[in-house]
């Protein structure tokens, strides 16, 4: 192999190097273009944000989302009414055990199961006409259930024995009404289950 041939075919690494001063010079010559593009981008983002705020929530590309919450003390020693009164009066210890729920002195896990049931979900969807509100025309039953479950959340903290019911929507009044109705349905459900259980016990005794 000829050494001279190798030297002629060897790559010239020096030719591929970028001169930092040349790069700075190019940026400096294009400074007006760079500043112009940056300024237009900032102005566009500000305009987009202002328009999003000015438009009605249902038409805004980035509407504000509200998430009201109802915090319920499930395992209270005091029988003061509301959900706690319904739970205390219902006598649900054996029923919770049959449902595979470890009560631990409270009924938070059972409450979460009830709130997530199709019975309560369908009641909420029908009460607030979810199909009409969100334009659901196909598979109304299944799609409305998914819509409610996607925006609602039920969290039980065993350490504090508190149940949190929340709902996300762009309309704060609507979201608050949905949360309040969930609480009402849960109270009714506990009362109904307890009442039916007492009736069955009375029938057996008779």
């Amino acid at each position: 192999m000829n050494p001279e041939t190798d030297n002629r075919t060897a790559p010239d690494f020096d030719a591929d190097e970028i001169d930092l001063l040349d790069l700075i010079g190019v940026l400096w010559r294009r400074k007006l273009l760079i500043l112009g593009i940056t300024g237009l981008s900032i102005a566009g983002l500000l305009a987009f944000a202002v328009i999003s705020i000015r438009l009605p929530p249902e038409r805004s590309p980035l509407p504000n989302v509200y998430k009201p919450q109802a915090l319920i003390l499930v395992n209270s020693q005091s029988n003061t009414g509301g959900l706690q009164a319904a739970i205390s009066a219902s006598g649900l210890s054996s029923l919770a055990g049959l449902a595979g729920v470890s009560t631990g002195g409270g009924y938070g896990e059972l409450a979460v199961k009830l709130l997530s049931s199709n019975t309560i979900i369908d009641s909420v969807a029908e009460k607030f006409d979810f199909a009409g509100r969100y334009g659901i025309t196909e598979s109304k039953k299944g799609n409305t259930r998914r819509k409610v479950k996607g925006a609602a959340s039920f969290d039980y903290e065993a350490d504090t024995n508190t149940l949190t019911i929340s709902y996300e929507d762009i309309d704060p009044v609507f979201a608050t009404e949905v949360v309040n109705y969930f609480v009402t349905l849960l109270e009714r459900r506990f009362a109904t289950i307890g009442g039916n259980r007492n009736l069955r016990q009375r029938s057996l005794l008779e």
Side-chain angles (χ1 to χ4, degrees):
M1 182 177 293
N2 192 340
E4 295 181 358
T5 304
D6 292 342
N7 292 334
R8 287 195 299 269
T9 58
D12 188 359
F13 293 103
D14 293 337
D16 294 335
E17 293 181 357
I18 299 176
D19 192 341
L20 184 59
L21 293 178
D22 291 341
L23 181 59
I24 294 175
V26 172
L27 294 176
W28 179 255
R29 288 193 297 271
R30 300 289 190 269
K31 64 180 181 298
L32 294 179
L33 178 62
I34 295 172
L35 292 175
I37 294 175
T38 304
L40 288 175
S41 300
I42 295 174
L45 290 174
L46 290 175
F48 182 76
V50 171
I51 292 174
S52 299
I53 295 174
R54 295 288 185 181
L55 286 176
E58 62 275 7
R59 296 177 55 190
S60 175
L62 288 175
N64 292 327
V65 178
Y66 302 90
K67 190 177 181 179
Q69 296 180 339
L71 186 64
I72 302 172
L73 180 61
V74 176
N75 187 28
S76 174
Q77 297 300 323
S78 60
N79 191 8
T80 57
L83 178 60
Q84 181 57 34
I87 294 174
S88 300
S90 62
L92 294 175
S93 298
S94 59
L95 181 64
L98 292 174
V101 177
S102 175
T103 59
Y107 303 95
E109 295 179 23
L110 179 59
V112 171
K113 287 182 179 292
L114 292 174
L115 288 168
S116 304
S117 66
N118 288 335
T119 301
I120 289 184
I121 296 298
D122 290 343
S123 297
V124 172
E126 183 179 356
K127 168 74 174 179
F128 297 99
D129 188 20
F130 269 65
R133 181 180 181 87
Y134 296 104
I136 300 174
T137 57
E138 298 181 358
S139 303
K140 289 185 178 181
K141 184 73 71 173
N143 287 331
T144 51
R145 285 175 179 174
R146 281 189 287 272
K147 185 66 178 177
V148 177
K149 291 180 179 180
S153 60
F154 318 111
D155 300 309
Y156 172 64
E157 295 184 6
D159 295 339
T160 57
N161 291 321
T162 54
L163 172 68
T164 303
I165 302 174
S166 59
Y167 188 85
E168 280 189 357
D169 196 81
I170 58 177
D171 185 346
V173 176
F174 171 73
T176 302
E177 291 176 350
V178 172
V179 170
N180 291 335
Y181 194 59
F182 267 118
V183 175
T184 300
L185 290 176
L186 184 61
E187 292 177 357
R188 292 177 183 174
R189 187 62 175 153
F190 270 121
T192 300
I193 293 174
N196 291 340
R197 180 175 181 273
N198 292 334
L199 286 176
R200 287 196 298 271
Q201 288 180 338
R202 186 179 302 116
S203 178
L204 290 173
L205 289 174
E206 292 174 354

